Amino acid sequence: MITTSVIFCLACGDTFFVPQQCIANGVSYEKIPQEGSSITALEVFFSGYPRMVGLSLFPRLCQLTLVGQSISHIKGLEACPLLREFWVVECQLTDISGLQNCHQLQKLYLYDNQISKIENLESLVNLQVLWLNNNFITHIEGLNTLQKLRELNLADNNIEKIGHSLDPNISIENLNLSGNKICSFKELTLLAPLTCLRELGLKDPQSSPTPVCLLCNYATHVLYHMPGLQRLDTYDVSSKHLKDAAESTVIKKMMYYNMRVRTTQRDLAETQANLLENKRNLLQLPENRIRALSYALKNLECELSEVQALEGSGDRSDTIRDLAQATKRNEMMVYFLLMELETVGNIRFEEGCSTDPWFTSCYDLLLSRFCAWDYKAHGITGIKINRIIRIHNRSLRLRFEDKLHTLLASEESTMFSQNYKRWLEYLFYVSDPERTIEKNEMLHIPEDGFKTADMYKALGRERAVPLSNSLSVTDSPRIEYTQRQANQGTSKQSIDPLLFRHGQLIVSKVFLGRSFPIHEGDSVDALNYPKAHSVYRNVSPEQTSIQIERPCSSKIHSGCDCSQRQSQWFVFDRELVLPEYLIDFEYITQDRAQPAFPEPSSRGTDDPPPNDINLDEETLNMEPMLKPRPKLLSLDEKTLLNVARANVLSQITVLNLHGNSLSKLKEISHLTALRRLTISFNEFTQLDDISHMPNLEFVDASYNHLLTLEGLRGLGRLNQLDLRWNQLTRAREETAVLRKHAPTLLRLDTRHNPWQRPEAVRMTVLGRLISLTHLDDMLVTEEEAGAAVQMAAGSRINQASLLAHSRTNSERPRSLSLLSAAQLLDQLSPSPWDITGDLEQGWTTKITALNLDSQRLSRLTNLDKLVNLRWASFNDNDISKVEGLDNCQHLEELSLNDNCISRLDGVSKLHQLTKLSVNGNQLSCLDGTVLDQMPNLHFLSVENNCIGSLNGVHRARSLFELYIGNNIITSTRDIYHLKVS
């Protein structure tokens, strides 16, 4: 009987080579042509088989093993259609090919070769085991069709990123990525969708550890995101105790960073409030002048058709810029805190102060490399450092130290080994907005480091990391680009000389190594400088966009080190550049203009008034001089007839009640013929009294105290309404009233009201009042009206919005993120719906997550069929009432931040709710009767409301996270309500 395992050697071509005793396991060389068809397994070890030939003699071959050969290409397997297991190991394979006919192949071993790319595996749909370890692979790719793959070994390659390349391989149970260059926890998080994964190797004993394994909390991070793992790096991790410990650690860290993020946001809210108060103070004087001028004009019964917007003073422009910068800094700090959370503390950001030695050193370094003469053309006289943040990135530091250690240990670098610190330098980097693909590159560098030389080359820059020892040199591209954009923008932008004032700078520790000056005519490329680690170019004044006239005088800027030569540096290997500090700075500029309206408190009583105010006074004192008239406090029939100079009420068509102290119009309903009504400069809070006046066409209710239009009824002929300078806040509700009760309105003026979302008011109004021809004294174009109507139509919950923003996942995503489950699933999971075909019956019952943030919703409707909804988010809408959720009995998380909600009645039936967030609404209290009906509520966030007491919180018996900052609680005794809870 012939064994199924034969060992022999084959020579080149079609000729077999065998030793004198040519038998192997009982099969002689002479009988192979006759008996080869019965052989199912073949093994060829060591040498003697440089090319794959002669396989046509083994048509029933199921297993083929080739070890230690000099094979460079796979050939001849079309003669072995039954092949199930194939080994080509310790050979010289340079690519994967020749497998397209091996449809039955289940196991493929191609380790210890020279393969650089995973390719040509699409037809191996039955493949279950794939070993590609010890090759030169840099990217995971070409595995999309291998959905039966259970074991994948990619150890000891050059892989840096995992990405979403393994998402289709949902059957993987064993994955080995040891000995690669993966250094980010974010990459490991992308393995979480592999729910069948049971064994993961990143630090296999037979391989060098992957850099990510050297980070703190590595095992905790992996076990939290992949709770189904049984073995990690050959260790047994199946114990429930280990999984629970990882879960507990992550929950604590998320709570900690949640509180830090909220603290940052509260600080921003306080800063915004202070800046807005400053802005209100600065605007008070011009508003008073506008009011006085308007009052005088209306006293003359002259209709004010247009009030020119007074341009902001320098102080007010500064306030607006400061507010924008405060918001930007807050967003940056929140981003950094979330990065700390996602990396489990392996990336940390430390904000410095003057007591920190490193802060002082960094501060002095920047000042020493800033020279005011470099910026003289821009009117810059100094620099102000707002904050310095120290970057602690463990992964980048380890990479830098490993690279430096390797360099110092090499034979070629003996010159550095004695005192390598001589070649260390701190250099600056500022992002060039014209040559970057990221929205904010300065936020990505602390996390991922600098780009590779090839990436910079692809962006049109030199093929190296660009740095400088001079602030003016490194910042000149940004300043030049900003000025160019300003000149191409609107006139308002082009006159602002301070667009480039605020900037961010990264200070990096750099090992310059062997450095050479750049040869004239040579491009900056490592190929042109084979022995260099870096090259440099000395910069003269005419080579920068910032003009340098002469050396800086110590009297002007004593901290400047003008003796140091200004240079551009280019480092070929990004691993030799370690970002250590991020500096937020602003240039100090000369005062170029006096403010048009200085802050009142800034002038003394003896100071002369500004010229603009004098002109206002002269205007108000022009002829004719108006005599003061008595103010009306109430109306009766006699008063109306006297004011209108009429004999009977039915004759009055025009009525001007401007400039009184009226708050009611009790007799106005008798004026059945009234067409024009002016009630500006009074004390009205609502307009109920002018309802049901069928002939009224014009109403001027400006300069009052209107809080709402609710109650306004039956104005079928009203075509012009002036609501300027009131206290209206909710554009959607007010326009809903007008749409229903003033359907023929043509002109509407809503300016100078404290709208909740002022940037969206115009589109909100136009989307509902389609008859308008003028809004806020501006013509409504057809394109604008069409866009507004389309936007309004899309602001309702319908089938299209449900299909676009819903998911059907059964499990909450495991992610180190502070986003809600609905937001996470919307980001991470693809839409489950095929919108090109017919939807199956009952598709809405499969929806478990719904994210309808920022959809301009005014009501929660069409949700009654979402009976299995578990996670929902309706942030940043115009919802005023919680309703429509009664059928969503499985709802666990609900987010309603930044709406107009004043009561929580609508959530009382959601007994399974565990997390509720209603920040930024109009809640005035915590309704204990509602909280009492939510026995599973663990998390409650009601920040930025109008809550005056903690009374009622004790009814939430399961609560262990409460966020209630930025409310109006004044009594410390309210803390006792928490004690009861």
Side-chain angles (χ1 to χ4, degrees):
M1 180 177 180
I2 300 176
T3 178
T4 60
S5 180
V6 179
I7 301 178
F8 66 97
C9 297
L10 299 176
C12 299
D14 295 324
T15 303
F16 295 101
F17 170 78
V18 295
Q20 293 181 352
Q21 304 289 331
C22 74
I23 59 173
N25 291 339
V27 179
S28 64
Y29 166 71
E30 291 82 3
K31 295 182 179 181
I32 286 179
Q34 295 79 28
E35 300 177 354
S37 59
S38 62
I39 294 176
T40 59
L42 194 62
E43 298 178 355
V44 181
F45 287 91
F46 310 121
S47 60
Y49 193 41
R51 286 192 293 153
M52 295 179 61
V53 295
L55 295 177
S56 59
L57 299 173
F58 309 99
R60 296 187 180 180
L61 203 62
C62 296
Q63 176 181 337
L64 175 60
T65 303
L66 307 175
V67 180
Q69 309 299 322
S70 55
I71 298 171
S72 59
H73 299 284
I74 299 173
K75 297 179 180 178
L77 293 182
E78 61 275 3
C80 307
L82 302 179
L83 194 64
R84 290 190 176 89
E85 185 173 332
F86 183 37
W87 298 63
V88 183
V89 300
E90 299 178 12
C91 296
Q92 300 176 19
L93 274 184
T94 58
D95 59 10
I96 303 175
S97 58
L99 300 169
Q100 61 272 13
N101 295 316
C102 301
H103 302 297
Q104 303 301 318
L105 197 63
Q106 296 179 356
K107 298 182 180 181
L108 178 60
Y109 301 90
L110 301 176
Y111 59 85
D112 280 308
N113 283 289
Q114 300 172 18
I115 299 169
S116 59
K117 185 177 182 180
I118 305 175
E119 57 185 342
N120 300 320
L121 299 176
E122 294 81 6
S123 60
L124 307 184
V125 293
N126 291 305
L127 196 65
Q128 298 180 15
V129 178
L130 176 61
W131 283 33
L132 292 169
N133 45 305
N134 287 93
N135 279 285
F136 304 114
I137 297 169
T138 57
H139 296 92
I140 303 176
E141 56 189 336
L143 304 175
N144 294 352
T145 62
L146 310 185
Q147 297 189 7
K148 294 183 179 180
L149 193 64
R150 293 186 295 105
E151 182 177 345
L152 176 62
N153 190 339
L154 292 171
D156 298 308
N157 280 284
N158 298 314
I159 298 169
E160 294 185 6
K161 304 286 184 181
I162 296 174
H164 293 279
S165 54
L166 295 176
D167 286 358
N169 309 110
I170 55 176
S171 300
I172 289 183
E173 299 176 4
N174 189 332
L175 176 64
N176 193 344
L177 292 170
S178 303
N180 281 284
K181 297 182 178 180
I182 301 167
C183 57
S184 169
F185 277 151
K186 282 188 175 182
E187 296 301 315
L188 298 188
T189 304
L190 298 174
L191 297 176
L194 303 179
T195 55
C196 294
L197 192 63
R198 296 295 177 264
E199 297 186 38
L200 177 63
L202 292 160
K203 194 168 55 174
D204 191 286
Q206 298 179 352
S207 305
S208 59
T210 305
V212 73
C213 303
L214 305 177
L215 303 181
C216 299
N217 299 304
Y218 154 69
T220 299
H221 187 276
V222 172
L223 292 178
Y224 172 76
H225 286 91
M226 289 165 268
L229 277 184
Q230 302 297 308
R231 301 192 72 82
L232 175 62
D233 300 330
T234 71
Y235 291 101
D236 184 358
V237 293
S238 59
S239 169
K240 185 176 182 299
H241 172 72
L242 291 175
K243 307 291 177 62
D244 291 344
E247 185 92 16
S248 175
T249 301
V250 168
I251 289 175
K252 292 176 182 178
K253 284 188 175 291
M254 292 182 71
M255 290 178 63
Y256 168 73
Y257 281 102
N258 194 8
M259 287 186 286
R260 286 194 62 186
V261 167
R262 289 171 184 269
T263 300
T264 301
Q265 291 171 338
R266 281 196 294 270
D267 292 342
L268 172 64
E270 184 177 348
T271 302
Q272 287 176 327
N274 293 334
L275 290 172
L276 289 174
E277 180 64 26
N278 185 35
K279 180 182 177 182
R280 279 193 291 269
N281 292 336
L282 292 170
L283 287 172
Q284 189 64 48
L285 182 59
E287 287 179 1
N288 289 342
R289 308 318 294 170
I290 292 173
R291 186 181 184 91
L293 289 168
S294 299
Y295 187 85
L297 289 170
K298 286 181 181 293
N299 275 346
L300 289 168
E301 297 184 349
C302 294
E303 204 173 316
L304 183 63
S305 60
E306 180 177 359
V307 176
Q308 296 295 333
L310 297 177
E311 294 296 333
S313 68
D315 289 340
R316 277 180 284 152
S317 299
D318 288 344
T319 301
I320 295 172
R321 275 193 293 266
D322 290 343
L323 181 58
Q325 288 302 316
T327 303
K328 185 177 180 180
R329 292 189 194 111
N330 172 76
E331 292 174 350
M332 180 181 71
M333 292 309 300
V334 170
Y335 181 85
F336 285 163
L337 287 172
L338 295 178
M339 192 188 302
E340 284 189 30
L341 173 60
E342 290 173 357
T343 60
V344 204
N346 283 282
I347 300 178
R348 293 187 301 105
F349 298 91
E350 177 186 359
E351 186 169 354
C353 61
S354 57
T355 58
D356 298 319
W358 64 264
F359 177 91
T360 305
S361 299
C362 193
Y363 188 96
D364 293 341
L365 175 68
L366 181 58
L367 290 184
S368 69
R369 297 186 182 179
F370 167 82
C371 180
W373 282 105
D374 295 359
Y375 303 89
K376 185 178 179 182
H378 303 287
I380 294 175
T381 60
I383 187 170
K384 175 184 176 184
I385 298 175
N386 293 316
R387 65 170 64 183
I388 301 178
I389 298 174
R390 191 177 187 181
I391 303 167
H392 300 272
N393 189 319
R394 183 178 175 87
S395 176
L396 293 182
R397 183 169 292 279
L398 288 174
R399 188 176 74 178
F400 177 82
E401 291 173 352
D402 287 346
K403 186 71 177 183
L404 188 57
H405 176 77
T406 302
L407 194 62
L408 296 177
S410 64
E411 295 181 359
E412 300 178 358
S413 301
T414 53
M415 60 178 292
F416 306 127
S417 58
Q418 293 181 354
N419 187 12
Y420 71 93
K421 292 185 178 180
R422 290 175 52 195
W423 285 269
L424 287 176
E425 176 65 282
Y426 279 96
L427 299 178
F428 299 157
Y429 179 86
V430 174
S431 179
D432 183 350
E434 193 171 16
R435 296 181 177 181
T436 183
I437 56 176
E438 295 100 339
K439 184 177 180 180
N440 196 334
E441 183 187 19
M442 303 298 280
L443 296 183
H444 295 284
I445 291 175
E447 180 179 11
D448 302 320
F450 288 90
K451 299 180 181 69
T452 63
D454 290 333
M455 291 179 180
Y456 282 113
K457 182 68 174 179
L459 294 173
R461 308 185 71 170
E462 306 286 5
R463 192 167 176 262
V465 180
L467 302 162
S468 178
N469 62 352
S470 166
L471 177 59
S472 62
V473 171
T474 194
D475 201 22
S476 60
R478 182 185 70 89
I479 294 176
E480 188 177 26
Y481 174 81
T482 305
Q483 289 183 316
R484 193 163 58 247
Q485 290 295 106
N487 293 333
Q488 295 172 356
T490 64
S491 59
K492 184 177 180 180
Q493 289 177 318
S494 62
I495 63 173
D496 187 351
L498 305 176
L499 286 175
F500 60 84
R501 187 176 72 177
H502 293 274
Q504 289 181 335
L505 169 81
I506 285 182
V507 182
S508 299
K509 180 191 288 186
V510 185
F511 183 76
L512 297 175
R514 278 191 295 270
S515 186
F516 299 95
I518 297 175
H519 302 147
E520 186 175 354
D522 283 353
S523 61
V524 177
D525 193 313
L527 298 176
N528 296 331
Y529 303 89
K531 294 183 179 181
H533 299 105
S534 63
V535 293
Y536 63 91
R537 176 191 296 128
N538 294 327
V539 180
S540 58
E542 60 273 11
Q543 290 177 299
T544 66
S545 62
I546 301 175
Q547 296 302 314
I548 305 173
E549 296 188 2
R550 61 184 176 83
C552 177
S553 168
S554 59
K555 294 181 180 179
I556 296 176
H557 189 71
S558 58
C560 172
D561 183 9
C562 288
S563 61
Q564 179 172 330
R565 186 183 297 273
Q566 295 182 334
S567 303
Q568 286 179 303
W569 290 88
F570 299 93
V571 183
F572 295 123
D573 190 343
R574 66 169 182 168
E575 296 184 4
L576 294 175
V577 184
L578 176 65
E580 288 201 337
Y581 304 98
L582 189 149
I583 302 178
D584 186 278
F585 68 90
E586 63 180 288
Y587 294 118
I588 300 172
T589 57
Q590 297 172 346
D591 293 329
R592 298 197 173 192
Q594 287 292 332
F597 296 101
E599 188 173 355
S601 60
S602 66
R603 288 194 297 120
T605 56
D606 298 330
D607 294 338
N611 187 51
D612 289 333
I613 298 179
N614 289 333
L615 292 175
D616 290 343
E617 296 295 338
E618 292 175 6
T619 301
L620 291 172
N621 293 326
M622 289 173 63
E623 296 290 339
M625 296 298 295
L626 300 177
K627 296 180 180 180
R629 53 192 179 88
K631 291 189 176 183
L632 302 176
L633 300 179
S634 62
L635 287 181
D636 53 29
E637 182 176 346
K638 181 180 178 180
T639 305
L640 285 173
L641 292 174
N642 184 42
V643 171
R645 295 183 174 87
N647 296 320
V648 293
L649 295 180
S650 59
Q651 293 179 343
I652 299 176
T653 59
V654 178
L655 182 63
N656 190 335
L657 297 172
H658 154 75
N660 289 286
S661 300
L662 299 172
S663 60
K664 291 289 184 181
L665 294 173
K666 293 182 179 179
E667 301 295 329
I668 199 76
S669 59
H670 299 298
L671 308 184
T672 55
L674 189 65
R675 295 175 54 199
R676 296 178 64 87
L677 175 64
T678 299
I679 54 174
S680 56
F681 289 93
N682 279 282
E683 306 294 331
F684 292 103
T685 59
Q686 55 188 19
L687 296 177
D688 302 27
D689 293 338
I690 65 172
S691 295
H692 304 293
M693 302 191 70
N695 295 308
L696 197 59
E697 299 175 358
F698 171 93
V699 175
D700 181 356
S702 59
Y703 295 94
N704 278 281
H705 308 289
L706 296 179
L707 300 174
T708 179
L709 299 182
E710 191 65 38
L712 198 65
R713 301 284 188 274
L715 300 177
R717 292 189 179 181
L718 187 66
N719 56 53
Q720 187 167 342
L721 178 61
D722 191 343
L723 297 171
R724 290 173 299 154
W725 299 95
N726 279 284
Q727 298 299 316
L728 301 173
T729 59
R730 296 160 64 177
R732 188 180 295 271
E733 283 75 6
E734 313 309 344
T735 50
V737 173
L738 294 176
R739 179 175 59 180
K740 185 175 182 180
H741 299 288
T744 62
L745 197 61
L746 300 178
R747 302 178 73 103
L748 175 65
D749 203 329
T750 66
R751 289 173 290 174
H752 305 295
N753 279 279
W755 300 110
Q756 288 182 344
R757 292 179 175 85
E759 72 283 352
V761 169
R762 186 171 181 86
M763 296 301 283
T764 300
V765 173
L766 293 179
R768 283 156 180 77
L769 303 180
I770 59 176
S771 61
L772 286 182
T773 60
H774 291 77
L775 176 60
D776 297 339
D777 209 22
M778 291 176 58
L779 181 68
V780 178
T781 64
E782 292 184 7
E783 295 79 7
E784 187 180 29
V789 170
Q790 186 177 2
M791 183 180 294
S795 65
R796 303 180 182 91
I797 301 178
N798 50 32
Q799 178 173 304
S801 60
L802 289 178
L803 290 173
H805 302 286
S806 65
R807 299 294 183 265
T808 59
N809 302 59
S810 59
E811 297 294 334
R812 191 187 193 284
R814 302 182 73 85
S815 174
L816 293 178
S817 172
L818 299 182
L819 295 176
S820 67
Q823 292 169 327
L824 270 176
L825 288 171
D826 192 32
Q827 285 187 6
L828 303 178
S829 302
S831 175
W833 314 112
D834 180 11
I835 59 176
T836 59
D838 295 332
L839 294 170
E840 59 180 298
Q841 188 175 6
W843 63 275
T844 53
T845 62
K846 295 183 177 181
I847 294 176
T848 58
L850 181 63
N851 179 25
L852 289 174
D853 292 350
S854 305
Q855 297 299 308
R856 301 179 181 273
L857 302 177
S858 58
R859 296 184 61 193
L860 296 178
T861 58
N862 298 325
L863 300 175
D864 51 302
K865 294 182 180 180
L866 276 61
V867 294
N868 290 310
L869 185 65
R870 297 175 58 190
W871 310 288
S873 182
F874 303 101
N875 297 335
D876 191 28
N877 285 290
D878 296 315
I879 300 166
S880 57
K881 185 178 180 181
V882 184
E883 57 187 347
L885 296 172
D886 290 352
N887 290 350
C888 305
Q889 292 295 306
H890 296 285
L891 200 60
E892 299 174 16
E893 293 186 17
L894 177 61
S895 186
L896 292 161
N897 299 332
D898 300 316
N899 281 282
C900 310
I901 298 167
S902 58
R903 297 180 62 85
L904 292 177
D905 299 357
V907 300
S908 58
K909 296 182 180 180
L910 305 178
H911 305 305
Q912 301 301 318
L913 203 63
T914 61
K915 297 186 69 173
L916 175 62
S917 184
V918 281
N919 301 326
N921 281 278
Q922 299 170 7
L923 298 176
S924 59
C925 65
L926 295 174
D927 193 337
T929 58
V930 174
L931 296 177
D932 194 40
Q933 298 182 59
M934 293 186 287
N936 297 302
L937 191 66
H938 301 321
F939 176 102
L940 176 62
S941 184
V942 288
E943 295 188 319
N944 300 306
N945 279 279
C946 305
I947 298 171
S949 172
L950 289 175
N951 185 31
V953 72
H954 62 282
R955 307 285 286 274
R957 295 180 295 276
S958 300
L959 198 64
F960 63 83
E961 279 189 79
L962 173 64
Y963 300 94
I964 196 168
N966 286 355
N967 279 280
I968 54 174
I969 300 171
T970 57
S971 174
T972 56
R973 295 180 62 86
D974 276 281
I975 296 175
Y976 290 105
H977 294 296
L978 297 176
K979 183 177 180 180
V980 176
S981 177

